[in-house]
Amino acid sequence: MSSGRSSSRGNISEDEINELISKLQALLPSSRRRGSGQASTTKLLKETCSYIKSLHREVDDLSDRLSDLMSTMDHNSPGAEIIRSILRS
Amino acid sequence: MRGPNTKAFQQGFLKNMIFSLQACSEFCISSSASGGAAMMSLQQRKCAIKSSANIAMATARGGRARWPQAVLASSSSPSRRPSKPSSSPGKKKKNTHVCKKIVRRCLHTRRRWRAGTGASSLARTTSTTTAMIGSREIARRLVRKRTKVLRKMIPGGELLDEISLLHEAVDYVAHLHAQVDVLRRISNAVQRG
């Protein structure tokens, strides 16, 4: 997929890099607060790292919550029914 | 094309999660002979849910990105050997080859760049240009530092060059977002019902 030769690096244009950076910036939550502006690359990378960390934490919290909830119910038809209804929607 | 916000991805993800959760519950029911002590400990359940969520996300994503392989490899190795012996050693060999090539290329470019800046800083003696070169070097070092951190965050990111790393980051962030969304919906639904 990505060849490791230096000649291919020359073919990758600045535009593609800028497009990637703007895509990444669009995904981050902080970009919605400011206008769009110009973020330095290091700040963008730092924000991406912290955002991924917070997403990981959120997944952990949600799975904790889900495991607490699941402890109070049976692993029987009620839970499966709920999940099937989510699938249908 | 490969949108993590598509319904197909979310449905696939949900199905995978349900299968793995059912498998976990069946395993714990079968492992404890008496039906009364069938509940897993909280820790076990947390681990099961987390790993099943990651595995579900990775399998629902498909084979066009790097990080699913890394997630699946890391999750299967602590329990048992990876279940795809034909594909993973070959890919790992390829990855180590690619990694060595990338490391060699990075070293070469770094040496060339250092030699280049040394010559250019000798040629230009104005303080402003040397200050500019200094700030550029600092910026590049910062970028390298940040990409190092980013590589640790993204599974399988240590093997990639910077362009692919950016691609993977975009992809991974979008999919994590979808994972959080699905988990939230599941827990809301379970809480309601």
Side-chain angles (χ1 to χ4, degrees):
Chain A
M1 271 183 265
S2 61
S3 58
R5 291 185 214 134
S6 51
S7 59
S8 70
R9 246 201 182 171
N11 291 340
I12 296 174
S13 56
E14 282 287 318
D15 290 338
E16 195 174 315
I17 297 177
N18 287 334
E19 196 186 319
L20 277 176
I21 290 181
S22 57
K23 259 194 225 175
L24 198 52
Q25 201 177 9
L27 282 172
L28 297 177
S30 60
S31 69
R32 291 168 207 156
R33 275 182 251 143
R34 292 178 230 145
S36 54
Q38 201 187 23
S40 68
T41 319
T42 47
K43 272 195 188 165
L44 183 71
L45 291 174
K46 190 177 178 184
E47 284 219 40
T48 311
C49 294
S50 55
Y51 187 51
I52 293 180
K53 260 188 233 171
S54 69
L55 280 178
H56 280 167
R57 243 183 292 137
E58 210 173 332
V59 167
D60 280 351
D61 289 343
L62 280 174
S63 47
D64 284 352
R65 182 179 159 200
L66 191 58
S67 62
D68 285 340
L69 283 173
M70 281 178 66
S71 62
T72 57
M73 64 173 224
D74 292 325
H75 295 273
N76 279 335
S77 32
E81 266 305 307
I82 290 166
I83 292 171
R84 255 174 255 144
S85 64
I86 298 177
L87 274 176
R88 270 183 246 131
S89 63
Chain B
M1 280 205 325
R2 37 163 169 151
N5 302 316
T6 55
K7 206 167 187 185
F9 170 76
Q10 294 197 347
Q11 284 182 346
F13 178 31
L14 263 176
K15 273 185 205 163
N16 291 335
M17 266 223 71
I18 293 166
F19 287 147
S20 46
L21 285 172
Q22 279 178 347
C24 288
S25 64
E26 281 169 7
F27 174 70
C28 84
I29 286 173
S30 62
S31 59
S32 61
S34 64
M39 286 299 164
M40 294 190 268
S41 72
L42 200 62
Q43 273 300 319
Q44 279 177 314
R45 200 177 301 124
K46 272 189 224 176
C47 288
I49 289 182
K50 268 183 230 174
S51 55
S52 54
N54 282 329
I55 293 173
M57 183 168 68
T59 36
R61 172 64 186 80
R64 261 180 244 137
R66 260 315 151 76
W67 58 263
Q69 298 172 13
V71 167
L72 293 172
S74 64
S75 53
S76 59
S77 45
S79 52
R80 46 196 138 103
R81 290 287 162 195
S83 49
K84 296 183 194 170
S86 55
S87 54
S88 48
K91 278 184 183 156
K92 276 185 189 162
K93 276 184 197 164
K94 265 190 205 170
N95 284 341
T96 44
H97 279 305
V98 170
C99 179
K100 280 181 193 166
K101 274 189 200 166
I102 290 172
V103 167
R104 249 180 265 148
R105 183 165 47 89
C106 290
L107 283 174
H108 280 310
T109 46
R110 225 179 275 172
R111 280 181 208 150
R112 253 184 268 147
W113 179 76
R114 276 194 193 149
T117 46
S120 59
S121 62
L122 279 173
R124 309 168 200 171
T125 49
T126 53
S127 55
T128 48
T129 43
T130 44
M132 271 169 61
I133 291 169
S135 64
R136 248 184 258 160
E137 184 175 335
I138 290 171
R140 269 183 231 220
R141 278 191 198 156
L142 275 176
V143 168
R144 228 174 279 152
K145 207 179 176 187
R146 294 292 162 206
T147 41
K148 251 193 219 174
V149 179
L150 192 62
R151 270 173 225 267
K152 281 185 212 162
M153 305 293 314
I154 298 177
E158 282 125 29
L159 307 163
L160 300 170
D161 58 313
E162 296 202 2
I163 310 287
S164 330
L165 189 66
L166 282 179
H167 275 291
E168 291 286 311
V170 171
D171 195 61
Y172 187 57
V173 165
H175 283 83
L176 270 184
H177 214 95
Q179 188 187 38
V180 163
D181 194 40
V182 170
L183 278 176
R184 208 178 280 154
R185 272 205 267 163
I186 290 180
S187 37
N188 285 339
V190 170
Q191 197 170 32
R192 260 184 273 131

